[in-house]
Amino acid sequence: MRRNSISFLPIAVLLIAVLSSRASIQITGLSEVTQEKALEIISDQVAQEEAKGGSRPLADDASFFLERELRRSGYDKADVEWRFDEASKQITLIVDEGTNQTLGEITISGNIAEVADEDLRALVRRSTEIRKDAALLGGSGGLAYVASDISSGLADVAQLYRSLGYWDAK
């Protein structure tokens, strides 16, 4: 008895050809940050690359967004360069994470008001803790040290003191 069978070989060859013609974004140089987290950060660029293929502007965008998020996560000297191969439409991001800085002990001095030190520490940490869920720190457990977050927290402390009548608080 002869069965009618469809040969999947031409379909498989076509599928392999389509998939191989589609570029991908490669990331090199990661040490603390996982490949999955990095690709998650640039997920919009990955989706656009999958839909339309790689390009120089897309490589530049992916590099920018990855570097920005690394810096927001405590890698203040992070640098992400990109390469684009015209022939293969391959985007390669070359990452230099730099060192990760985490927030250490917060010490309050000169607290003359009736404000608990822990409340003041909470104000300083607040902005940094907002990022904790999105932090790229692979299990290091610390909060990322980001100077702008600390400045914002210190401004909140100064505002609290001014609201209590200490007009010269800085």
Side-chain angles (χ1 to χ4, degrees):
M1 170 157 80
R2 182 180 165 155
R3 295 179 139 177
N4 288 334
S5 63
I6 299 174
S7 174
F8 288 102
L9 186 58
I11 296 171
V13 169
L14 179 62
L15 183 60
I16 290 169
V18 168
L19 291 176
S20 64
S21 70
R22 193 172 256 174
S24 62
I25 298 177
Q26 299 296 316
I27 303 174
T28 63
L30 296 173
S31 58
E32 291 185 39
V33 178
T34 66
Q35 181 92 5
E36 293 77 26
K37 288 280 187 183
L39 288 170
E40 187 178 309
I41 291 167
I42 57 169
S43 61
D44 288 345
Q45 287 72 33
V46 171
Q48 186 174 1
E49 184 273 333
E50 288 174 351
K52 298 181 180 180
S55 65
R56 289 180 179 277
L58 185 59
D60 191 53
D61 287 352
S63 172
F64 169 79
F65 288 115
L66 183 56
E67 183 175 310
R68 184 183 69 179
E69 192 57 36
L70 285 168
R71 288 177 184 245
R72 285 181 173 175
S73 297
Y75 297 89
D76 64 332
K77 301 219 186 300
D79 184 48
V80 180
E81 299 292 325
W82 59 269
R83 287 191 194 133
F84 180 69
D85 182 336
E86 291 286 346
S88 66
K89 302 295 186 201
Q90 174 73 43
I91 296 172
T92 303
L93 301 180
I94 302 101
V95 178
D96 178 5
E97 293 173 353
T99 56
N100 183 350
Q101 297 190 13
T102 57
L103 190 59
E105 179 67 26
I106 298 173
T107 305
I108 307 294
S109 61
N111 182 12
I112 58 173
E114 303 274 333
V115 179
D117 283 353
E118 188 53 41
D119 292 339
L120 294 176
R121 283 189 203 93
L123 281 173
V124 175
R125 286 191 313 248
R126 181 183 55 133
S127 296
T128 304
E129 287 179 341
I130 289 170
R131 292 189 213 275
K132 189 173 185 179
D133 290 339
L136 299 174
L137 310 176
S140 68
L143 294 173
Y145 172 81
V146 180
S148 61
D149 290 346
I150 300 303
S151 296
S152 174
L154 290 174
D156 289 346
V157 170
Q159 180 60 35
L160 171 66
Y161 273 100
R162 284 192 289 276
S163 72
L164 295 172
Y166 297 93
W167 303 112
D168 293 334
K170 295 179 184 175

